Structure formats: structure tokens, C-alpha cells
Amino acid sequence: MHWLTLPEPRTDVKLAFHDLPSAKAWLAMQPQTQPMHMLNAIGEQIDAIEGSVLPPPLAVDLLNLLRSAAVPGQNAIETRYLRKPLPMSSEDERCFELAQKLWLRLGVVYLRLAPHFSPTDKCLPLHRAACAFRMAQYCHFQAARECPVLIDHLLFSILTQAEASGVLRQALPDPDFRHLGEANIAGHLAWAFMLRLIDPYRLSAAQLTVANRAISRWRELTGFQSIPDDDPKAHSVDLAPLFGGDPLPEGVPRWLEVRKVERKIEQRIAALQSGESPESLKLGRELSGAACIHLLREMEASLETHVSVRSTEIGEIELAFGPEHCFNVLTGEALNPSSTLDTTSATLAHQRVALFGFDRVSTMPTSVKRLDVPSEKWILVDGKAVRADDAKAARRLAPCLIASIVDEKPRLGVLLGLRTSTTGALSATLKWYADPVEAGRLARTRSQERNQPITPAFLMHEGDQYSLLVPANAAVRLEIGLSFQGATLSHFLPTEVLERGVDFVRYAVTWQ
């Protein structure tokens, strides 16, 4: 395949063993309770096998042994890079780099060895390569890091080779992932492609876990095709846009038939609506029933062939983050003025009292009242908001609440799909709520008035449908009434969680 260039093998790493017994003895000497050291050592030996002249069957056996030893360590460090605030700390970054590099290099070595086997014997190395590249891709989704184009090309390369060798659907057991049962190459590839299609960067850590689990169970309900199915009930998705932005080479199956997956999604939604729990439907415990329904509907909508129209909007935008700062932008008022003072501003206030008799410049007769809200400069380009790599800038986690002045009007929105690019810049999608949005506050009891900060809230309505957005740590419960203080005092009953972010929750509400 002229369109695929594999990374050059390393030849500067010494192989620590020469057969399976010596490899097992070497593994027994490694620090089993120190996953980072263990994975580093295994990674070096994977590189050594790639650069060696071992017989291909022995090399595959040794890779299988190292793979089995690496899986527990990979599982142990996964939480270190799972949807951490971006940019990640250097130690968390090191965990991610180690995990994704190990899976990527492991897959490359299996793929490099595959041509040395007969067509029927290629199944195992291609199967293990497909699994490894899928895992490397998933590491990027977990860490909210853009995938390199190489991983796209590697996945399509396996699809092409497995199809040509007639082993795409040949089932194999996998002792390292027993919960998958007997799996085939097509299933691993469909799993990877469907995760890409649902835009995993837009999902929270819990949503990503549930979506990955569901797709893993439905992976083999799909089919790869050179042309879309002409059956009216069929649903074929074009995979060409997933080829890293390059034209899909001739001979690569271009279409993924997902009708059976859609049917499973519809069945799960119906079961959840009838009262079955996510756990009973093997969706796990991470999300509530309502949250699972919302996620499944988003997944179903994503399994469509979309014609992307890039935004031509270019320019700078100032983004304020968090419910309180968003309130400040929308109203021009400080919600909790005393909580925003730092030591320097407090000192200046004392000086102003001594000189002018006023504690703030804004209270002086000749002053112009102005509220400075902390914000960040992002750049709008190709439908994305981008923030350049800056070691001094705040770390961000999405989905999170934002506000800005858009077309000379204050707007409330959500920053979605946050990820780190290969250059270290942050990029995300901005979603703005439709007007009208009324910024107000949750009414407090008399005891709260004295010792608790004011809680911002945002009331939205479209027709006769109302929703209320509050901070994630607000004491709001379903079916328990609350009072919203905006232009008027209103009493609402939260009935359903519509949307949840890292710092906010949006509820459907009815009037009381």
C-alpha cells in the first residue's frame, strides 16, 4: 500500500531475551507493582523485537507475551489521563504518552510481521494489530488529545489487508480481553470507526465510558461494503471523511452498514423509557436512565452521513468561564463582589478610603461604572475556537459554561469538544443558547443570606417550554420546588435533567 508509511523500526535497543522461557524469566524480574516502570521496560522490548531478526512466528509469540503483561499496567494508569483539565500536568501527560505509544508501537510491529505469513495465518497478527490501534485511538479520546492521521491510515490498512486475505470476519479468542468473547477484525475496526463517528470529544468521561461499552457489544452487527446497500431499510455510513482528511484510496471498503446498531439503540431507548435500569441493559452504572436516553439519541444522530459546512467566521473572542462570571457578563453586575477581591484590590480599597472617602473608584461621583470580568482570548477559525499553548493560562475541562459578547450582545453558551492538538493548542466548539436567556439567582433562606454566597441561575424558554441552568454544586433536586429571582420572583419545579456539564446542570422546569 503506497499510501501507508510505517514508522521506522528502532535498531538501538538490545533484546533482553531470545525465546519464550527467557522472556518469561525477564518479565518475572520486572517491577510488577510499578506500572510506569513496567510499561517502559515492556515498550523498549517491543521496539527491540521490531528491530530484531527473530523468526516471525517467534516474534509474534513474544509480542503476545508482552501484551498480556502490559494490559494490567495500562489499566492501572488509565485514570491518570482520563479527561483531566487541559493542558494536562506533566506527570499525567507522561502517563498518556506512555499508554498510547505502547499500543501504537505494538500494533505497528504486529502489522509489520503480517506479510510474512500466509493469507490464512495473517489473521492473528492483523487481529492483534486492529485491537492495538483501536486502543491507541481510545487513549486519545480519553485524554481529549487529537488523533494523528497515522492511526486513521493504520486502521484502514488493516481493513484492506484483512479483506484481501479473507480473514476480516474470522473469529479469534483473546485471552487478554476475555469479556469480548471470540472477536473478529471487522468488529474491532467497526468499533473504532463508530467511536470516531459519534465525536467522542464532545462526551464527558462518564458518557465516553458508556458509549464505548455499548459500541463494544454491538461492534459485530455492522458490515463493511464497497458500495452502499440499496435496501430501503439499510443505513450505510460513508467512512471516507474519517481517512484523516485525505481521499480514500481505491479498493478500500468505503461504507459501514449500521442499521442493526440503530435498531439496538432504539430498543435500548424504549426499554429505558419503560423503566428498565441502565445496568440491567448492560450500559453500566455511570449514567442515570434519562442521561442514557439522551446519550443514545445523540449516538443515533451521529451515525448519519453528514456534509460538514465549515464556518467562515474568523477573529478573536473573549470568553468568560463559570456560572458566576457568566452572570456578570450577562447582567453587567457583580454577583458576589466581596468574593472576587484579592489582596491587592483590598489594599487599594483601604488607600482609596484614606484619600477619597470611597472604598471603590466606581463609587466616586466622577467615575464611570465598569465591571471587569476575568476572561480569555480565543481565536475563531474553521468553526472552532482555538487557544494557543500557554503555560500560564488556566486549565480547562469541558463541557463548561461560557459567556461572551457576540454581535454586541451578551450570550450564554457551552464550550464543547475540548481537545489538545498535536501542537499543544486547545480547540473546542462553542454552542450558544438561543435568546431569551434571563440571568438571575436562586432565592435563599434567611439563614443562607448571612453566610452563603449567592447562587447564579439562568432561565431559558422556548414557546411554553422552560429550563433552568444552575451551577453543578447548587442544592437542586428533581421534584423539589425552588425560587428563581430574576426580573420577577418565580417558583419552579425541576422535572428532568436536560444537560450536564462539569460546572453546570440544566433542568426542565414547570411553573408552580
Side-chain angles (χ1 to χ4, degrees):
M1 285 171 289
H2 63 278
W3 47 267
L4 178 68
T5 302
L6 292 177
E8 286 297 319
R10 290 182 60 182
T11 56
D12 59 339
V13 184
K14 183 179 179 181
L15 194 60
F17 38 76
H18 59 277
D19 58 14
L20 283 175
S22 60
K24 291 177 181 177
W26 176 84
L27 279 171
M29 297 172 58
Q30 302 312 305
Q32 310 292 327
T33 59
Q34 301 177 48
M36 294 290 286
H37 290 290
M38 183 79 169
L39 293 175
N40 267 314
I42 290 174
E44 286 190 354
Q45 290 308 300
I46 290 172
D47 288 339
I49 291 172
E50 184 180 24
S52 72
V53 292
L54 291 171
L58 175 58
V60 167
D61 287 342
L62 291 172
L63 288 176
N64 292 342
L65 182 67
L66 294 179
R67 178 181 188 256
S68 297
V71 168
Q74 293 277 35
N75 292 337
I77 68 171
E78 185 178 271
T79 56
R80 294 295 304 273
Y81 55 83
L82 177 59
R83 291 304 165 93
K84 293 297 183 71
L86 300 179
M88 284 190 285
S89 68
S90 57
E91 186 59 27
D92 292 343
E93 178 88 6
R94 195 165 73 90
C95 291
F96 160 73
E97 293 287 354
L98 178 59
Q100 69 86 24
K101 181 181 177 182
L102 192 145
W103 284 119
L104 182 60
R105 296 302 299 173
L106 185 62
V108 166
V109 184
Y110 276 122
L111 186 59
R112 201 185 294 278
L113 290 168
H116 295 282
F117 294 87
S118 66
T120 55
D121 292 332
K122 284 182 181 179
C123 186
L124 191 142
L126 288 178
H127 182 282
R128 299 299 187 257
C131 179
F133 295 143
R134 177 184 60 75
M135 293 295 291
Q137 179 199 62
Y138 192 54
C139 287
H140 283 80
F141 297 159
Q142 290 176 309
R145 176 71 66 89
E146 282 186 357
C147 278
V149 173
L150 175 62
I151 292 182
D152 296 311
H153 288 189
L154 290 168
L155 290 167
F156 279 101
S157 167
I158 292 175
L159 174 59
T160 306
Q161 292 187 54
E163 175 80 356
S165 301
V167 296
L168 191 60
R169 289 282 179 184
Q170 184 175 324
L172 281 180
D174 191 337
D176 301 322
F177 298 93
R178 295 184 186 277
H179 63 285
L180 298 179
E182 289 206 344
N184 58 47
I185 295 169
H188 280 291
L189 297 177
W191 185 351
F193 290 137
M194 283 192 287
L195 270 181
R196 279 286 304 275
L197 287 167
I198 66 171
D199 192 3
Y201 298 107
R202 292 174 64 93
L203 305 181
S204 67
Q207 288 176 318
L208 178 62
T209 299
V210 173
N212 185 60
R213 182 184 295 125
I215 291 174
S216 75
R217 297 181 60 80
W218 304 331
R219 66 190 186 277
E220 293 180 4
L221 297 176
T222 60
F224 290 96
Q225 301 166 173
S226 297
I227 57 174
D229 200 320
D230 57 3
D231 187 327
K233 295 182 179 180
H235 187 163
S236 302
V237 181
D238 188 1
L239 297 177
L242 302 185
F243 192 65
D246 299 323
L248 193 64
E250 289 187 16
V252 179
R254 175 171 176 168
W255 300 89
L256 183 68
E257 177 55 44
V258 297
R259 177 65 190 110
K260 291 181 180 179
V261 173
E262 284 199 322
R263 192 176 301 128
K264 285 289 185 182
I265 292 176
E266 291 162 3
Q267 290 170 352
R268 293 297 184 272
I269 291 174
L272 289 165
Q273 288 174 331
S274 68
E276 290 195 49
S277 70
E279 189 176 6
S280 69
L281 298 172
K282 302 189 185 304
L283 295 172
R285 300 179 179 180
E286 290 84 358
L287 299 176
S288 67
C292 277
I293 290 173
H294 178 73
L295 172 62
L296 289 169
R297 282 176 173 157
E298 283 196 339
M299 290 171 61
E300 187 174 28
S302 299
L303 294 177
E304 300 282 350
T305 299
H306 300 283
V307 178
S308 60
V309 180
R310 287 193 171 184
S311 170
T312 56
E313 190 175 11
I314 297 176
E316 255 185 15
I317 186 169
E318 292 268 357
L319 297 180
F321 288 82
E324 183 165 341
H325 290 155
C326 290
F327 175 93
N328 296 342
V329 171
L330 266 64
T331 64
E333 301 174 5
L335 186 69
N336 292 293
S338 60
S339 67
T340 61
L341 280 175
D342 58 18
T343 304
T344 303
S345 60
T347 302
L348 288 173
H350 286 299
Q351 293 173 348
R352 289 170 188 147
V353 169
L355 291 172
F356 307 112
F358 299 99
D359 64 343
R360 288 179 181 273
V361 172
S362 60
T363 62
M364 295 174 62
T366 57
S367 71
V368 176
K369 188 174 182 180
R370 180 176 181 274
L371 182 67
D372 287 325
V373 181
S375 61
E376 293 178 0
K377 283 186 172 65
W378 290 58
I379 304 297
L380 296 174
V381 57
D382 289 338
K384 298 285 186 184
V386 179
R387 191 187 83 180
D389 187 15
D390 183 355
K392 296 181 180 179
R395 290 182 176 140
R396 296 296 174 195
L397 190 60
C400 60
L401 201 64
I402 56 170
S404 186
I405 304 299
V406 181
D407 296 330
E408 300 183 354
K409 290 177 57 180
R411 298 291 302 274
L412 183 71
V414 178
L415 183 138
L416 294 164
L418 182 67
R419 69 198 75 176
T420 308
S421 72
T422 53
T423 64
L426 300 187
S427 68
T429 301
L430 308 182
K431 181 189 80 172
W432 301 108
Y433 290 113
D435 287 331
V437 176
E438 183 181 354
R441 60 202 76 191
L442 295 183
R444 303 183 297 177
T445 65
R446 288 189 175 182
S447 61
Q448 291 174 329
E449 290 286 346
R450 293 191 301 271
N451 52 29
Q452 289 189 8
I454 300 170
T455 301
F458 305 88
L459 180 64
M460 310 171 198
H461 56 94
E462 183 176 351
D464 58 352
Q465 301 297 314
Y466 285 80
S467 63
L468 190 69
L469 189 150
V470 300
N473 59 359
V476 174
R477 300 290 183 269
L478 294 178
E479 306 301 333
I480 297 179
L482 53 86
S483 298
F484 171 78
Q485 234 174 334
T488 58
L489 182 64
S490 302
H491 302 282
F492 293 106
L493 188 71
T495 58
E496 181 187 356
V497 174
L498 297 176
E499 188 178 6
R500 190 184 297 274
V502 296
D503 58 356
F504 73 92
V505 183
R506 186 165 69 94
Y507 296 91
V509 295
T510 58
W511 290 92
Q512 274 194 308

